[in-house]
Amino acid sequence: MFHKQSHLYKSNDMAATFAFLKDVRPFKTAWKVQVKVIHSWRQNTENTVETLELVLSDSMSKQIHAPVLNLSKVIDESNQTDSHSEFGTSSCSSGINAEIEFNLGRGRAKNTMAVNLTAEAIAKMLNGEVASENDMTPVLQVTELKMIQSKLNQNHESSNRYKITLSDGILSQQGMLNASLNSLVVQGSIQLGSILKLTRFVCNRVQTRRIVVVADVEILVEKCDIIGTCVQSGSPNEPGRSSVFDQQRSGMGSVITQQSNGCGFEQQQAKRTDLNGGRYGASAYSPQPQVVHNSPDAVRYSVSANLPQPQVVHNSSEVGRYGLPANSPQPQVAHNSSDAGRYGGANLAQPQVGYNSSDAGRYGVPASSPQRQVGQRYGTGSGYSETSPSTRPYGSSNAGYGGSRLEQPRAPPATTAYSRPVQSSYQPQPPPMYVNRGPVARNEAPPRITPISALNPYQGRWTIKVRVTCKGVLRRFSNTRGEGKLFSFDLLDSGGGEIRVTCFNDVVDQFFDQIVVGNVYLISRGSLKPAQKNFNHLHNDYEIHLDSASTIQQCYEDDPTIPRHQFHFRNVGDIENMESNSITDLIGIVSSISPSVSIMRKNQTEVLKRSLQLKDMSGRSVEFTMWGDFCNAEGQKLQMLCDSGASPVLAVKAGRISEFNGKQVSTIGSSQLFIEPDFPEARELREWYDREGRNAHFTSISREFTGAGRQEVRKVITQIKDDKLGTSEKPDWITVCATISFMKVENFCYTACPNMNGDRPCSKKVTNNGDGTWRCEKCDKSVEECDYRYILQIQLQDHTGLTWATAFQEAGEEIIGISAKDLYYIKYEHQEEEKFEDIIRSVTFSKYIFKLKIKEETYSDEQRVKATVVKAEKINYSSDTRFMLEAMDKLRTGDANSLPVKLESSNYRSDALNSGIGTSGTRDTASVDARREFGLPAANQVGQYGNQYAGPISGITSCNACGSNGHVSANCPSLMSEPQGQYTQGRYTGGGTPRQHVGGY
Amino acid sequence: MDTTSPAVFVNGALLRRYIGQKVRAVIQVIRSEIGSVVGKSTDDQQIVVKGSPQPPLTSYLEVIGIAESDNTIRAEVWTNFGDSFDAQNYNELCKLANGEFRHLFI
């Protein structure tokens, strides 16, 4: 009845029982752990599904890797959907220490996750606690693997060694594989991502660094995604190392200020493994992989070149990586900015050294700098000021291996991060003209219009040219962080891309009045967040959150290339198979509409509701329900059109499919309705309707609709028992056409409490105090005068059977025609027995249409199905006849649901036998077409039956009389003329009961 | 009740199938003439009903009589059916009574 907000907020009922991570096993689904998010990052896997990867740790320091597939489930920090596993987490990311409850939907432990990396193994290795396998046999993951060719002097044979980076999920450590393990690498047992247990290893100190030399391993998992986002371990005595890059929050890396005291190249500290950096850059966020791969070099070169320089502003590296598409849609520009940063940086330091100085850094020529600050900033000037660059630790790694100049053939690239073209390191020396260029300044060029479809979270600056198609109301909310307000609006651009914009708090004030539906705006800046699919049905994975730096500029010149609306119409037939709660656009012909009714919601507020039937070219129809304001505005217009005999076209933007009484579509807050719209789909539909649709038969995908409301399902009395009505959880609502055959005249009413309780009288029974006053137990009051309310016991009879029913006040008045009080006075006060009997007599044996509520109730352990009259209406023979004619037509044209096939087939036989003689040739041939679809045996060839099956199969109405399509027999032209034979007989015994076929005439 | 010669429900179009037989029809009176009433059948065809009904006539009349031609009935029984009558339903009844459910009527 009312729309459930499918979005639940943060659940407060976190149970106190949390499992430990070690107890989490595959196939266990109902568990809850309290964990800390050690790492989180987003990752695009092969099939480009973006996942949120979390490394979680519980109070026992057990760690687990938890990929979250459905990102929309883990929305911001506070709005969480319902869940089975909840995580109380405290994020250790830069500065944010908020307690967050995450949920991962139904968390599942996967087999691969049974392998847990040894917590803090690297840290222990670094501080010397662990020196060999005697101290511990840590389980670590390979995050980098490179082949190093070294020439050995003794036999002049070149032998390959593998350089390896191992990670425990938090830190990573470099090491070498013993040559004896080379075969494992070659055969692929050790590869990038492999999880190894180091069974024999030594942790050596080489210069200022620790290097693990791995002698023997146990391979636990060959293939695995990289767990965690590791920090490259630098010199242990380095103070500046700390801030863990949290990709999820910062989204786009930015400025880091780091201090280090160690030796030159070692200070190139990775806050993040390059693996992830490479992934980010390469996975389609930048159209230019080449640039992406160059950018690490930029960092390297400039940093090394700037060694003596106390402070370097570095503009380039992240540009290439992240900001590129946004800042400069032209790849060429991107290249330049990257280069500029690179060489500009170099020149600031030592122009004459240039390339050589970078070599120095790389290959370990000591270039000590006692202290240094490296500040990196986006070239975009987008104002980000958070942590995290991604600097490749090439220098340091090479330095660890003796400082000799080695050729570095790389191991086969496992990810794009490693496929950096070698030549980029050896690019020709840039011409000196770059020298004075200095750092690239902000990109202040006039905004280029980015298509909505190209927006992604990794762009700093973009401008879209859009039309506002829909503007939401200003809503207020309150959560743990306080009160707030928000509003959102939907945008459409000329490329057909659509996206929702949401503004919060102050930003609401800034933009709310500016946004007008239908206008075109230039919007720039703002962050892209995953779309909250619960609220946002647009075809876009992201939505824009505007902030105070965002700008919205109206384009006063309308842009005709941007459509006013964009529809993704589905036809009614498709909707039948769509999931409920999904959002769809729909266009159809309104065939009927019912008046608005007021529905009381569970929260005691009233809401208007109006239903109509929509049909389209799929030959199906669906009930469409309008709620609230739609009923009066669009609803009224539609009603007027329908009343005047028109069948208006209605286009629905964003209707929600629900599964109430079959499939329905209803409005939601952001729905839009268009009556007789002027676009091609509407014209096509109109043409179709005028051509053929008008007379076609439609099967509804909603439960049968009989005019005044979906609950009016016409039944016959025996069906109450036969269909076991009322025995389900909810009452059944039916209408019957029946005669009152008997009425209990004693106690036809009771004395009721007239006290108003809210806007309704209390109506509880009052008892006579004996002093002329009446006492109500519920109100705990006595009143001078009581009300009289009907409680009529009546017996209803139709052609199938009898039932008792109770009619209370309103229905009683409808039946008797006068109020209970009047009738009471006639009988008891005025003692007009004759008049009373006249009234009762006039009512009995008259026919009514009763709306009944059927519900099984228990009285002292006895189950009784009770029928209550909700509404009684004297029969209008004319309209009831029309109803019967329709019902007969429906039956004959094959309303398959009410006719069990099994019964029918047996009837065929008897019928064929009985009526065989009468089935004349003419009639038979006329219906051959319809019949052949069923392949009935010849003996069963009874003309009229073929049709009732032909109907549903072909989906086209066919005529019983002549067998042709497109009309029902009532309109059959052949009947107007002389039929030439006898007819088979059938008798209709009322809704839904099996038909009886009577032979003879 | 004379079951040997039932009166068939007819509209204008069905009339010619029963020439010489007993029929019944409801007509909407257009005008009364001497010895006949001109009316409109439920399927909007003009029918002449011969005979002299007892006035006053309501706008709808049921006549029972012998079908004489495509559009004439010699009436034996005249019944006033009032001024509001659902001709469309009656027309449907005629079609059913002469079609699929004929056996129930004749």
Side-chain angles (χ1 to χ4, degrees):
Chain A
M1 287 294 198
F2 74 106
H3 284 277
K4 195 182 127 197
Q5 278 286 22
S6 55
H7 185 89
L8 301 177
Y9 284 91
K10 198 168 127 171
S11 67
N12 294 319
D13 56 344
M14 295 243 319
T17 51
F18 292 106
F20 290 112
L21 279 180
K22 69 179 170 62
D23 298 320
V24 172
R25 293 273 179 278
F27 313 118
K28 276 195 185 177
T29 51
W31 44 264
K32 209 187 253 186
V33 290
Q34 190 165 31
V35 292
K36 197 166 153 181
V37 176
I38 295 179
H39 278 286
S40 64
W41 71 100
R42 285 168 187 236
Q43 183 166 297
N44 270 51
T45 50
E46 298 73 29
N47 43 12
T48 70
V49 179
E50 199 184 17
T51 57
L52 176 62
E53 309 280 329
L54 300 173
V55 177
L56 307 171
S57 165
D58 67 3
S59 53
M60 296 175 77
S61 293
K62 185 89 174 171
Q63 294 182 7
I64 194 165
H65 175 211
V68 185
L69 289 175
N70 192 350
L71 272 185
S72 61
K73 284 217 165 187
V74 181
I75 316 158
D76 221 344
E77 282 103 15
S78 59
N79 301 343
Q80 301 303 328
T81 52
D82 53 331
S83 75
H84 287 258
S85 62
E86 283 157 15
F87 296 80
T89 70
S90 108
S91 155
C92 65
S93 74
S94 44
I96 302 173
N97 287 315
E99 277 285 326
I100 303 162
E101 284 166 26
F102 269 98
N103 82 80
L104 302 179
R106 190 181 281 265
R108 252 185 327 161
K110 276 195 182 171
N111 252 333
T112 54
M113 292 311 140
V115 178
N116 288 314
L117 302 185
T118 309
E120 290 170 11
I122 301 288
K124 285 175 182 163
M125 287 179 178
L126 286 173
N127 63 24
E129 240 181 272
V130 174
S132 71
E133 73 274 11
N134 298 327
D135 298 305
M136 80 191 300
T137 50
V139 177
L140 300 169
Q141 187 175 32
V142 180
T143 58
E144 232 178 320
L145 191 61
K146 278 182 198 162
M147 187 168 69
I148 296 168
Q149 246 169 23
S150 55
K151 286 196 163 63
L152 298 180
N153 291 335
Q154 292 95 322
N155 46 18
H156 298 281
E157 276 173 18
S158 70
S159 80
N160 296 333
R161 296 282 303 268
Y162 285 94
K163 195 188 88 169
I164 192 168
T165 304
L166 296 168
S167 140
D168 65 353
I170 304 169
L171 292 171
S172 64
Q173 160 83 333
Q174 290 181 340
M176 293 296 291
L177 279 184
N178 204 323
S180 60
L181 297 173
N182 283 2
S183 59
L184 290 174
V185 180
V186 172
Q187 73 197 38
S189 297
I190 297 178
Q191 51 177 286
L192 199 75
S194 295
I195 294 174
L196 313 173
K197 186 182 209 171
L198 309 191
T199 49
R200 269 176 57 212
F201 69 98
V202 213
C203 208
N204 289 330
R205 196 179 184 92
V206 179
Q207 290 176 350
T208 55
R209 306 161 36 81
R210 284 187 184 274
I211 294 295
V212 188
V213 179
V214 183
D216 204 356
V217 295
E218 191 181 318
I219 297 162
L220 300 178
V221 179
E222 278 184 19
K223 269 186 191 168
C224 181
D225 287 337
I226 301 298
I227 299 171
T229 312
C230 296
V231 172
Q232 182 78 39
S233 71
S235 318
N237 58 349
E238 208 169 293
R241 192 194 74 218
S242 61
S243 63
V244 173
F245 180 62
D246 187 337
Q247 189 118 28
Q248 190 198 357
R249 286 200 177 63
S250 62
M252 323 174 146
S254 51
V255 178
I256 183 163
T257 307
Q258 72 183 62
Q259 287 208 331
S260 56
N261 299 321
C263 268
F265 35 80
E266 287 188 10
Q267 290 155 2
Q268 300 173 18
Q269 204 175 51
K271 291 296 163 203
R272 195 160 55 97
T273 59
D274 198 46
L275 177 69
N276 282 319
R279 263 195 203 167
Y280 259 88
S283 56
Y285 297 122
S286 153
Q288 275 238 320
Q290 184 61 45
V291 174
V292 172
H293 298 308
N294 283 339
S295 59
D297 288 9
V299 180
R300 191 165 81 225
Y301 284 167
S302 51
V303 168
S304 54
N306 283 310
L307 291 179
Q309 208 74 2
Q311 187 164 36
V312 174
V313 175
H314 191 1
N315 290 322
S316 68
S317 73
E318 292 292 314
V319 175
R321 235 168 234 232
Y322 295 113
L324 180 57
N327 299 324
S328 48
Q330 282 183 325
Q332 194 50 51
V333 178
H335 233 353
N336 287 341
S337 73
S338 161
D339 280 351
R342 191 148 93 212
Y343 302 117
N347 286 319
L348 281 174
Q350 284 178 321
Q352 77 279 15
V353 175
Y355 182 66
N356 291 334
S357 75
S358 72
D359 258 359
R362 248 184 97 178
Y363 296 120
V365 176
S368 64
S369 63
Q371 177 143 37
R372 170 183 78 157
Q373 279 194 331
V374 178
Q376 285 186 323
R377 196 170 67 209
Y378 274 103
T380 65
S382 62
Y384 278 92
S385 58
E386 287 178 59
T387 53
S388 83
S390 55
T391 315
R392 277 183 88 135
Y394 278 116
S396 57
S397 66
N398 284 320
Y401 294 96
S404 63
R405 183 171 182 139
L406 299 172
E407 283 293 306
Q408 286 199 354
R410 285 177 170 73
T415 72
T416 49
Y418 290 89
S419 63
R420 182 173 62 88
V422 173
Q423 89 270 6
S424 69
S425 320
Y426 301 100
Q427 272 179 357
Q429 181 74 356
M433 60 187 278
Y434 287 101
V435 169
N436 292 322
R437 206 180 218 215
V440 169
R442 292 168 162 228
N443 181 358
E444 294 292 8
R448 258 166 217 283
I449 306 302
T450 308
I452 285 178
S453 55
L455 290 181
N456 65 59
Y458 312 104
Q459 292 166 306
R461 185 173 168 174
W462 39 260
T463 300
I464 49 176
K465 188 176 187 186
V466 288
R467 190 188 297 281
V468 175
T469 56
C470 183
K471 180 185 176 182
V473 293
L474 202 160
R475 281 175 295 161
R476 294 177 190 279
F477 62 88
S478 80
N479 62 17
T480 49
R481 285 180 294 182
E483 302 272 312
K485 55 185 171 181
L486 70 111
F487 91 106
S488 53
F489 51 97
D490 296 347
L491 304 176
L492 185 62
D493 76 358
S494 57
E498 50 189 21
I499 195 162
R500 171 161 296 178
V501 180
T502 306
C503 303
F504 291 93
N505 302 333
D506 294 347
V507 188
V508 174
D509 302 330
Q510 200 175 341
F511 297 127
F512 187 79
D513 295 331
Q514 202 183 343
I515 297 299
V516 176
V517 173
N519 285 356
V520 177
Y521 298 90
L522 286 172
I523 297 179
S524 38
R525 291 185 200 164
S527 42
L528 279 106
K529 302 280 164 72
Q532 297 194 27
K533 291 293 182 187
N534 287 330
F535 302 125
N536 184 349
H537 53 266
L538 296 184
H539 293 246
N540 198 322
D541 290 338
Y542 298 108
E543 58 187 43
I544 298 172
H545 287 190
L546 294 184
D547 50 48
S548 49
S550 310
T551 58
I552 298 182
Q553 188 190 342
Q554 188 176 347
C555 303
Y556 292 97
E557 212 167 291
D558 193 69
D559 186 342
T561 60
I562 307 178
R564 299 212 156 252
H565 304 286
Q566 178 166 265
F567 294 94
H568 304 274
F569 289 124
R570 304 294 299 264
N571 66 37
V572 177
D574 289 348
I575 286 171
E576 187 170 24
N577 300 320
M578 283 168 74
E579 271 183 43
S580 61
N581 277 337
S582 51
I583 303 292
T584 185
D585 299 340
L586 181 65
I587 188 168
I589 298 269
V590 178
S591 56
S592 63
I593 184 164
S594 62
S596 305
V597 288
S598 174
I599 300 273
M600 184 69 79
R601 281 195 286 215
K602 278 188 183 144
N603 61 6
Q604 295 301 309
T605 57
E606 275 186 66
V607 64
L608 281 178
K609 185 200 134 171
R610 192 196 271 271
S611 304
L612 56 83
Q613 294 292 306
L614 266 189
K615 46 191 182 185
D616 72 5
M617 285 181 260
S618 63
R620 313 299 298 269
S621 67
V622 66
E623 184 172 334
F624 176 74
T625 308
M626 289 181 269
W627 294 93
D629 291 341
F630 289 112
C631 298
N632 290 332
E634 286 87 351
Q636 202 57 45
K637 191 173 170 196
L638 285 169
Q639 178 93 59
M640 276 165 54
L641 284 166
C642 286
D643 287 350
S644 67
S647 305
V649 174
L650 175 67
V652 180
K653 168 94 184 144
R656 188 211 304 270
I657 300 173
S658 59
E659 212 148 357
F660 185 74
N661 281 347
K663 283 281 200 308
Q664 278 195 334
V665 179
S666 48
T667 59
I668 54 175
S670 53
S671 299
Q672 287 173 289
L673 305 182
F674 303 91
I675 299 165
E676 292 289 1
D678 183 33
F679 40 69
E681 291 92 342
R683 285 192 287 272
E684 195 189 345
L685 193 65
R686 169 61 63 199
E687 265 170 39
W688 160 83
Y689 188 73
D690 292 342
R691 202 174 55 241
E692 50 182 318
R694 191 181 294 276
N695 299 317
H697 174 81
F698 290 88
T699 313
S700 180
I701 63 170
S702 312
R703 201 194 279 176
E704 207 49 63
F705 178 82
T706 47
R710 62 168 164 267
Q711 289 154 348
E712 288 199 21
V713 186
R714 182 71 78 91
K715 301 263 185 190
V716 294
I717 282 172
T718 45
Q719 279 181 293
I720 296 173
K721 269 195 187 128
D722 294 347
D723 297 357
K724 295 193 167 47
L725 296 183
T727 51
S728 58
E729 213 169 291
K730 285 185 177 168
D732 284 299
W733 302 78
I734 61 165
T735 58
V736 294
C737 176
T739 305
I740 297 175
S741 56
F742 181 71
M743 187 187 296
K744 274 191 189 164
V745 290
E746 307 82 36
N747 303 326
F748 62 83
C749 66
Y750 71 98
T751 52
C753 173
N755 282 329
M756 293 305 276
N757 189 354
D759 53 350
R760 312 184 61 162
C762 160
S763 299
K764 286 280 176 290
K765 188 170 179 175
V766 289
T767 47
N768 196 340
N769 288 336
D771 57 356
T773 61
W774 304 84
R775 177 170 174 74
C776 174
E777 291 294 332
K778 190 185 172 224
C779 301
D780 200 19
K781 273 184 198 161
S782 289
V783 289
E784 291 290 316
E785 207 172 337
C786 69
D787 253 359
Y788 294 89
R789 292 177 72 87
Y790 278 117
I791 176 160
L792 280 179
Q793 300 289 335
I794 53 175
Q795 204 172 38
L796 307 180
Q797 184 169 27
D798 71 0
H799 61 282
T800 63
L802 271 181
T803 187
W804 279 100
T806 310
F808 291 101
Q809 179 70 349
E810 289 78 11
E813 264 178 38
E814 284 167 352
I815 293 167
I816 305 286
I818 61 172
S819 73
K821 193 170 192 170
D822 290 351
L823 193 64
Y824 179 87
Y825 273 72
I826 288 168
K827 184 171 165 69
Y828 296 103
E829 299 288 320
H830 307 147
Q831 306 272 322
E832 293 174 278
E833 196 57 37
E834 205 167 305
K835 190 174 175 190
F836 177 77
E837 276 174 18
D838 273 350
I839 291 169
I840 299 302
R841 217 176 291 129
S842 73
V843 172
T844 39
F845 299 112
S846 45
K847 223 171 179 181
Y848 291 83
I849 306 282
F850 293 101
K851 186 169 176 182
L852 300 180
K853 180 181 132 184
I854 313 285
K855 182 81 189 100
E856 189 176 61
E857 284 172 22
T858 310
Y859 293 101
S860 56
D861 294 341
E862 201 187 332
Q863 302 275 318
R864 273 175 56 186
V865 174
K866 263 196 92 173
T868 310
V869 180
V870 182
K871 199 167 182 245
E873 210 177 340
K874 266 244 161 69
I875 192 163
N876 176 335
Y877 286 100
S878 176
S879 62
D880 199 56
T881 305
R882 223 167 273 171
F883 174 83
M884 298 278 270
L885 284 168
E886 262 174 47
M888 287 168 73
D889 245 354
K890 218 173 276 172
L891 194 72
R892 287 178 300 166
T893 51
D895 189 356
N897 9 351
S898 62
L899 295 168
V901 174
K902 223 174 166 183
L903 269 174
E904 281 305 317
S905 63
S906 64
N907 278 349
Y908 274 132
R909 271 170 215 291
S910 61
D911 198 58
L913 289 176
N914 288 339
S915 61
I917 308 157
T919 315
S920 82
T922 319
R923 180 65 203 279
D924 256 348
T925 18
S927 56
V928 158
D929 275 2
R931 210 186 316 118
R932 65 163 178 232
E933 297 184 40
F934 304 94
L936 290 175
N940 289 342
Q941 284 184 0
V942 180
Q944 70 189 74
Y945 293 108
N947 282 319
Q948 80 197 29
Y949 289 97
I953 287 182
S954 61
I956 297 166
T957 314
S958 54
C959 175
N960 289 326
C962 66
S964 66
N965 291 334
H967 63 273
V968 293
S969 65
N971 306 322
C972 179
S974 74
L975 283 181
M976 308 297 180
S977 57
E978 203 89 20
Q980 317 223 336
Q982 308 272 359
Y983 287 87
T984 324
Q985 311 73 28
R987 196 175 72 205
Y988 166 60
T989 54
T993 49
R995 296 207 247 163
Q996 298 170 2
H997 302 291
V998 183
Y1001 343 97
Chain B
M1 191 174 155
D2 184 7
T3 53
T4 54
S5 165
V8 188
F9 285 95
V10 292
N11 57 20
L14 290 161
L15 190 57
R16 59 194 163 102
R17 274 163 53 177
Y18 299 98
I19 293 169
Q21 288 174 272
K22 192 186 266 186
V23 295
R24 71 170 78 207
V26 170
I27 58 161
Q28 189 178 6
V29 178
I30 297 171
R31 61 179 186 272
S32 292
E33 292 172 353
I34 299 161
S36 70
V37 169
V38 180
K40 195 171 70 175
S41 69
T42 52
D43 58 348
D44 278 350
Q45 297 194 15
Q46 192 161 319
I47 287 182
V48 178
V49 187
K50 291 181 179 170
S52 304
Q54 291 291 319
L57 297 180
T58 58
S59 55
Y60 286 98
L61 282 180
E62 187 199 43
V63 295
I64 299 174
I66 305 296
E68 286 199 325
S69 74
D70 280 5
N71 58 0
T72 35
I73 299 170
R74 174 166 298 282
E76 293 158 6
V77 182
W78 302 76
T79 314
N80 274 331
F81 263 27
D83 294 326
S84 68
F85 180 77
D86 196 326
Q88 203 195 332
N89 276 341
Y90 187 87
N91 198 47
E92 293 302 319
L93 171 68
C94 292
K95 286 194 263 179
L96 290 171
N98 288 278
E100 199 178 335
F101 302 103
R102 187 183 151 119
H103 60 283
L104 295 172
F105 293 87
I106 351 174

